[in-house]
Amino acid sequence: MKRALALLCLSSLACGPALRTARRSADEPQSERELQAEAHVASPSCAPLAMALTPGLGALCEGRTAEGIVLASLGAGELATGIGVALKHDITYPGAAIPLLALSDLVLYTEFSRALEIGLSRRLLYVPQDTLPELAVAPFNLRVLSQPDVWAGILGTFAAGLGVTAITGGLSRPFRARPRLFGTDFAPGLGYATGGVIGAGLFEHVAIAEETTFRGTFQSAFARRFGEDQGLVYGALLFGALHAPNAIFLDSSERVSYLAIGVPFLTLIGGYLGWSYRQHGYGLAAPVAIHFWYDLLISAASFAMDPRHNQLSGSIALPF
């Protein structure tokens, strides 16, 4: 039994560091993460703008070789795939749109994680101290998922999301047809499994990038400037507002309901994510886990309800 527990702990999914907290007072001693960040940003060997916009470059220039290689490899692969498929089909084809969406999230994460690293080096309040590996495993980390606000948040936001979908007329009987992905019909088992893997990969990008941006960067900055309560509110409003442009990717018949119902709902989701972020001492692991599972479960439900006309079937549009 002890041997099994030890092996489980080695995975970092049950016993590794899961819920780091940020500096809440100027009197706190400097943390290990702040010391690391100070060393990282002390004498960068690359141009700051290039490091902020090129996935993996900043990590490589600061000596975080393994992280840099992973991010650079992902970015190069997604860019090559997106361009290659777009040249054969078009940019709205899922094989092109999905890797390019993932790449945009890599760039977003790269830019704002660099800002957080600078904030840590300056010992600013409310700057999250999570590492990228910790955020990557957060949606599957048992210590994170066992937190009441996380598992309840996942279930609650998913149920609320289905309710919003029902209000806007998007519910139908699931699993009525063979799934269609990238213009090809699949057997149900393989089709749903493939769709799930693709969705998990995409929403891992989305959750980490958006939580680093909206909670880690903007909510914390608002909290330092206006106070923690206002920081939460302003962060949620910004989260909702910056999702409004997704309407241009929707059919014209869906835009009004998205703006009237979807955007306010996403603002409330942003508020809950911001509250969870604050509850965990301005650590990103919990909101990343909630965000990932909300996106994945809502996407999976949408896929199951209409497996032949979905974001993976022939052309891509952004759901809420």
Side-chain angles (χ1 to χ4, degrees), residues 160-190:
L162 288 181
V164 170
T165 303
I167 291 172
T168 57
L171 287 182
S172 61
R173 184 179 175 183
F175 306 111
R176 290 188 303 172
R178 290 167 61 89
R180 187 174 183 82
L181 296 95
F182 308 112
T184 301
D185 290 343
F186 281 74
L190 179 60

Side-chain angles (χ1 to χ4, degrees), residues 12-13 18 130 132-145 150 204 208 284-290 292-293:
S12 295
L13 297 182
D130 312 82
L132 179 58
E134 288 166 356
L135 296 182
V137 302
F140 318 102
N141 189 319
L142 300 181
R143 288 182 61 191
V144 176
L145 295 174
V150 176
E204 178 89 346
I208 293 174
L284 286 172
V288 163
I290 298 168
F292 170 85
W293 285 109

Side-chain angles (χ1 to χ4, degrees), residues 40 44-65 67-73 75 106 110-111 113-114:
H40 292 158
S45 57
C46 302
L49 182 60
M51 288 194 293
L53 297 178
T54 308
L57 180 60
L60 290 170
C61 292
E62 294 173 348
R64 293 173 285 135
T65 305
E67 180 179 326
I69 290 174
V70 169
L71 291 174
S73 299
L106 270 188
T110 297
E111 181 172 353
S113 65
R114 174 68 180 166

Side-chain angles (χ1 to χ4, degrees), residues 200-250:
L202 175 62
F203 296 129
E204 178 89 346
H205 284 62
V206 172
I208 293 174
E210 292 197 358
E211 292 310 303
T212 298
T213 302
F214 289 105
R215 256 57 66 183
T217 303
F218 287 112
Q219 181 175 332
S220 290
F222 289 141
R224 288 192 296 272
R225 176 67 177 84
F226 302 105
E228 294 186 67
D229 292 339
Q230 293 92 326
L232 194 161
V233 172
Y234 296 159
L237 291 173
L238 183 65
F239 182 73
L242 291 184
H243 278 79
N246 286 350
I248 65 176
F249 297 100
L250 299 175

